[in-house]
Amino acid sequence: MPPQHGRKAGPWHLPSDPAACRSARRAVRAVLADWELEHLTHTAELLVSELVGNALLHTDGPLRLTVERRKTLRCRVEDGSPEVPRRRAAAPDDENGRGLELVHHMSTDWGVEQTADGKSVWFELG
């Protein structure tokens, strides 16, 4: 597990396969327990799974997860694609398209930042 320096944990390098979601949830759960923020665990696990799953579906290459403790909790998933994810309204029978809606409605804030080698998609919980 990468070091935790008080207010920052990670980055964790995640595999480019479905096991990345499980690894991300495990990392978030451990950090929140260490920081005594267990009350955020359920929501943080769900939302980090959505971001990692979205990155796996729409990008290639390595993923990284970082968790930061600010005035809020911030979870950030980085990938190598510059393509910005967009919220969309999923039809009732669509199998995809609800992840960013969940992130939007369940987080305090969320966004996308361009990085030198792709982007970072993040959410915050109060």
Side-chain angles (χ1 to χ4, degrees):
M1 177 180 278
Q4 297 180 32
H5 300 289
R7 298 197 152 306
K8 183 177 179 182
W12 289 272
H13 296 274
L14 302 173
S16 294
D17 64 50
C21 291
R22 181 176 52 243
S23 298
R25 286 191 304 270
R26 186 180 311 124
V28 167
R29 189 170 43 248
V31 169
L32 295 181
D34 286 347
W35 290 348
E36 298 180 354
L37 296 173
E38 291 92 346
H39 63 284
L40 299 175
T41 300
H42 180 72
T43 304
E45 283 182 311
L46 174 64
L47 298 185
V48 82
S49 287
E50 290 297 334
L51 293 189
V52 171
N54 199 40
L56 289 170
L57 187 60
H58 298 289
T59 67
D60 293 321
L63 306 176
R64 289 176 303 282
L65 167 66
T66 305
V67 180
E68 297 172 275
R69 187 174 185 174
R70 305 166 164 211
K71 290 182 181 180
T72 60
L73 177 79
R74 179 178 277 201
C75 295
R76 183 176 62 228
V77 175
E78 297 175 69
D79 65 56
S81 171
E83 185 177 334
V84 176
R86 306 238 185 261
R87 286 175 47 208
R88 66 180 182 95
D93 293 337
D94 286 350
E95 293 190 21
N96 295 318
R98 293 173 180 81
L100 289 179
E101 279 298 306
L102 282 173
V103 173
H104 175 75
H105 288 290
M106 295 180 75
S107 67
T108 306
D109 197 11
W110 75 280
V112 180
E113 298 170 356
Q114 297 297 101
T115 64
D117 59 349
K119 68 177 170 301
S120 171
V121 184
W122 55 267
F123 67 84
E124 293 181 348
L125 298 175

